[in-house]
Amino acid sequence: VLNYGSSGIGNSQHMAAELFANYAGVKMIHVPYKGGAPALIDLVGGQIDLMFETIPTAMPYAKSGKLRALGITTATRSQAYAELPTIREAGLPGYEYRGWIGLLAPAGTPPDIIARLNSEAVRAVNQGGLAAQFRDMAFDVVAGTPEQFGQFIKEEIALHQKIVKASGIRAE
């Protein structure tokens, strides 16, 4: 049995690990921390066996030899770290987990305001090298429509419902 750390119950690290355990058919024990830094410190120190961590946070430790990067959770390799295989390529067919950050507005925001926010955000990302800076940090930039993002969120909710149900995660 492996012990894995995360920065708390129900976050993306926790969900990625539970999805991995489900796909791989392995038993892992979740050790929730009050933040990613304490979990990462315990991983480097050997108190936990593994962790699903963001590339920008984990790779400095991997490059220094303090950690070993085994794979990334997305379906395709990172442009910033193309040498790092996906978990699928490493031997777990079908596995994919995407952490994401998005721009949201309160429910009921008028459509013209949503359209303006979207167009300004897309413009900001695409000018001045911001998208390239994100890619250098291993973030894939997707600048779509509000409708596309809404559909993506619905798919993410369905995926997370399945992970919670399969793993028995409970709010604490």
Side-chain angles (χ1 to χ4, degrees), residues 77-159:
R77 289 184 183 218
S78 164
Q79 291 180 8
Y81 298 99
E83 73 280 3
L84 192 58
T86 68
I87 290 177
R88 284 181 183 184
E89 291 172 326
L92 194 56
Y95 180 88
E96 177 184 6
Y97 188 87
R98 300 170 293 182
W100 55 272
I101 299 169
L103 178 61
L104 302 163
T109 301
D112 60 322
I113 301 295
I114 296 294
R116 175 81 188 270
L117 285 169
N118 182 67
S119 67
E120 292 298 325
V122 169
R123 187 175 60 77
V125 165
N126 289 326
Q127 74 180 24
L130 187 57
Q133 289 177 3
F134 281 132
R135 281 191 287 279
D136 288 347
M137 294 185 297
F139 291 108
D140 294 326
V141 178
V142 178
T145 67
E147 294 76 22
Q148 290 168 325
F149 189 42
Q151 181 60 38
F152 172 78
I153 291 172
K154 287 178 184 174
E155 292 166 4
E156 287 292 289
I157 289 169
L159 171 65

Side-chain angles (χ1 to χ4, degrees), residues 13 22 25 34 41 47-48 56 85 105 124 126 129 142 147 149 165:
Q13 297 166 331
N22 185 279
K34 292 183 179 182
I41 290 167
Q47 282 76 36
I48 55 176
N126 289 326
V142 178
E147 294 76 22
F149 189 42
K165 184 177 180 180

Side-chain angles (χ1 to χ4, degrees), residues 1-9 13-14 17-18 20-22 25-33 39 43 47-52 167 169 172:
V1 176
L2 300 169
N3 294 315
Y4 74 92
S6 81
S7 60
I9 296 170
Q13 297 166 331
H14 186 193
E18 288 296 338
F20 176 86
N22 185 279
V26 297
K27 176 69 177 157
M28 299 194 311
I29 297 172
H30 180 223
V31 181
Y33 286 80
L43 179 61
Q47 282 76 36
I48 55 176
D49 300 308
L50 64 112
M51 183 176 179
F52 284 72
S167 65
I169 296 170
E172 292 185 12

